[in-house]
Structures are given as structure tokens and as C-alpha cells.
């Protein structure tokens, strides 16, 4: 009985925290605010999650699962794996360009060591699938090493200031650099970049953000339902 209560409490914290991060912003949401929303003490909350970064990691884990699902969806709709990855970064850049709260989440995910490690490990696994034909002899270590560079390129694309280049220039430069790191031929790089930029990537970004938020709600609800079925 106690074990089920522990699991329920953790799920309640995750559900509330992830919702607040996406509605109010990660940086603007404190552990105290999350605890207050749950009517519990901060000490009680930190018993389950020692720091806010640990809760961010839960959301980043869900983001990674969502990205796998979205990549599969793109492929089922006729896109290549390479194009699916290009569309992912393009839509992320568009999301961060238009939505400050979502931008805060992505930037926070790329600047905390715990969540950055999750992103790099996830993306290295996907890179082995997407770029296999261009890097057939690479080891797991090589993919992991390149992803440390790729994550830096992605961060620079999303983290804008008043002096940042226009979004189309950032997307083009980022996609070219990432594909070049994975030895994609120049003509193929040019074609994928041109196609990504020819789409209404801002509209795609809005749709992806809505789908991600719906995915988070559904994932949290499914976790509760699974726990109840075990009773």
C-alpha cells in the first residue's frame, strides 16, 4: 500500500511540474510553487525529487520519446529519416522563435548537465539509425562524440539574442554543419536544407508544440491509469 502511495505521489509531482513548466516556463517555476500547487511542503517534494533539474529530466525524457514517435510519423508519411531529422530541428527553431516559454524549456534542457546528457544519449541512438549509410563503419563512441558537437550546434540555433542571425540562416547553417559532421554529401545537404526552408516551418512548429503538450498530458494520464490497474 505504501509503495503504491509513493508511486502515486511521484506521478502527481511529475504531472504538476511538467504542466507548470510548459505553461509558466521552467525558469519561472520554483520548487516551492510546485509544492504549493500540490499542497505539500517543499521538503516532502524534494524527498522524491532533490532538485528542479530532476523534474526537468522527466520532461526531457518525454520529449525524447515524443521525438522518436514524431520521426516515425514523418517516415510513415513518406519522408526519409534524414528529412525527418531536418524537420525536427527546423520546427524546434521555429518554436523557440515564437514561444518564449517553450524556448525557456529547450534552452534549460540544453544547459543543465543532467538533461543535456539525456539529449545526447537519445540523439546518438537516433543518429546511428539516420546516418548509418553515411557512416557505416562508425562505432558507438564516434556517434556519441559527434553528438557532443551536434548538441552545441542545436543550442546555438535555439539560443537567440538581439544580434542573432535570421531564423532561416540559423536553420540552414545548423543543418549543413550537422549533416557535414555525419558525412552527408554536399548535394544531399543542399537538397534537404532547401526543402526544409521551403515549408511553412513556423506553422509546423506550432503544430509540433501543440502535439507535444498533448503528448505530455496523455503520457501522464497513461502512467496513472497503469498504476491503478496494478492495484
Amino acid at each position: 500500500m505504501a509503495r503504491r502511495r509513493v508511486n502515486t505521489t511521484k506521478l502527481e509531482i511529475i504531472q504538476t511540474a511538467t504542466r507548470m513548466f510548459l505553461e509558466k516556463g521552467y525558469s519561472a517555476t520554483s520548487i516551492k510553487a510546485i509544492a504549493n500547487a500540490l499542497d505539500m511542503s517543499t521538503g516532502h517534494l524534494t524527498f522524491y525529487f532533490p532538485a528542479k533539474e530532476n523534474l526537468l529530466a522527466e520532461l526531457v525524457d518525454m520529449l525524447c520519446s515524443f521525438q522518436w514517435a514524431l520521426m516515425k510519423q514523418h517516415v510513415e508519411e513518406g519522408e526519409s529519416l534524414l528529412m525527418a531529422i531536418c524537420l525536427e530541428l527546423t520546427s524546434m527553431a521555429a518554436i523557440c522563435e515564437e514561444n518564449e516559454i517553450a524556448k525557456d524549456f529547450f534552452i534549460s534542457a540544453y544547459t543543465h548537465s543532467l538533461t543535456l546528457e539525456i539529449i545526447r544519449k537519445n540523439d546518438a541512438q537516433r543518429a546511428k539509425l539516420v546516418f548509418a549509410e553515411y557512416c557505416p563503419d562508425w562505432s558507438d563512441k564516434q556517434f556519441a562524440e559527434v553528438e557532443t558537437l551536434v548538441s552545441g550546434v542545436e543550442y546555438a540555433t535555439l539560443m537567440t539574442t538581439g544580434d542573432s542571425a535570421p531564423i532561416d540562416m540559423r536553420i540552414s547553417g545548423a543543418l549543413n554543419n550537422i549533416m557535414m559532421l555525419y558525412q552527408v554529401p554536399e548535394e544531399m545537404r543542399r537538397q534537404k536544407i532547401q526543402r526544409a526552408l521551403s515549408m511553412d516551418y513556423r506553422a509546423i512548429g506550432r503544430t509540433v508544440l501543440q502535439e507535444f503538450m498533448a503528448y505530455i498530458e496523455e503520457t501522464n494520464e497513461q502512467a496513472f491509469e497503469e498504476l491503478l490497474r496494478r492495484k
Side-chain angles (χ1 to χ4, degrees):
M1 189 69 167
R3 178 63 178 171
R4 286 200 296 269
R5 180 57 195 159
V6 166
N7 288 338
T8 302
T9 302
K10 287 187 72 172
L11 287 174
E12 288 171 346
I13 294 170
I14 292 169
Q15 187 177 53
T16 299
T18 53
R19 185 180 66 250
M20 292 177 73
F21 291 163
L22 292 174
E23 290 179 355
K24 301 177 182 298
Y26 174 76
S27 299
T29 303
S30 65
I31 284 288
K32 187 176 188 321
I34 298 169
N36 288 344
L38 288 159
D39 196 25
M40 68 172 59
S41 68
T42 54
H44 189 185
L45 190 153
T46 55
F47 172 79
Y48 297 100
F49 296 97
K52 191 170 69 164
E53 184 180 353
N54 298 102
L55 283 165
L56 179 63
E58 296 287 339
L59 186 53
V60 171
D61 274 332
M62 286 187 265
L63 171 66
C64 291
S65 296
F66 172 76
Q67 288 175 332
W68 275 98
L70 191 60
M71 186 171 74
K72 180 181 177 181
Q73 178 185 320
H74 282 312
V75 171
E76 288 174 348
E77 292 172 352
E79 301 290 358
S80 65
L81 286 169
L82 182 55
M83 193 64 212
I85 287 295
C86 290
L87 289 174
E88 179 180 292
L89 180 56
T90 301
S91 62
M92 278 174 37
I95 289 168
C96 290
E97 186 85 355
E98 294 192 346
N99 190 305
E100 284 298 320
I101 290 176
K103 177 183 176 181
D104 178 66
F105 159 62
F106 282 111
I107 295 304
S108 297
Y110 276 87
T111 51
H112 289 282
S113 58
L114 175 61
T115 49
L116 179 58
E117 185 64 19
I118 293 170
I119 291 170
R120 285 174 172 171
K121 286 183 177 179
N122 174 75
D123 289 0
Q125 289 298 313
R126 292 196 302 157
K128 287 191 290 184
L129 180 65
V130 174
F131 300 105
E133 64 178 292
Y134 308 108
C135 313
D137 301 320
W138 279 25
S139 66
D140 289 353
K141 182 180 179 183
Q142 285 174 294
F143 280 104
E145 288 171 345
V146 168
E147 276 306 315
T148 64
L149 301 175
V150 170
S151 62
V153 172
E154 291 172 341
Y155 173 81
T157 307
L158 306 179
M159 180 58 197
T160 56
T161 64
D163 297 324
S164 294
I167 185 171
D168 56 344
M169 187 181 296
R170 285 183 282 118
I171 290 170
S172 177
L175 293 180
N176 186 60
N177 285 329
I178 292 169
M179 287 189 283
M180 188 162 53
L181 284 169
Y182 281 111
Q183 303 181 5
V184 178
E186 182 178 358
E187 179 59 22
M188 179 65 72
R189 300 199 307 265
R190 187 190 66 77
Q191 290 175 5
K192 299 304 180 186
I193 293 168
Q194 185 177 58
R195 182 147 188 271
L197 292 177
S198 70
M199 295 180 173
D200 188 350
Y201 50 81
R202 292 180 186 274
I204 293 172
R206 293 183 206 111
T207 300
V208 168
L209 180 58
Q210 290 173 356
E211 290 176 350
F212 176 53
M213 294 177 75
Y215 178 85
I216 297 304
E217 289 294 325
E218 182 181 351
T219 299
N220 285 331
E221 287 300 322
Q222 287 178 348
F224 271 109
E225 289 173 6
E226 179 63 25
L227 183 60
L228 291 174
R229 281 196 294 267
R230 293 176 189 169
K231 289 186 177 182

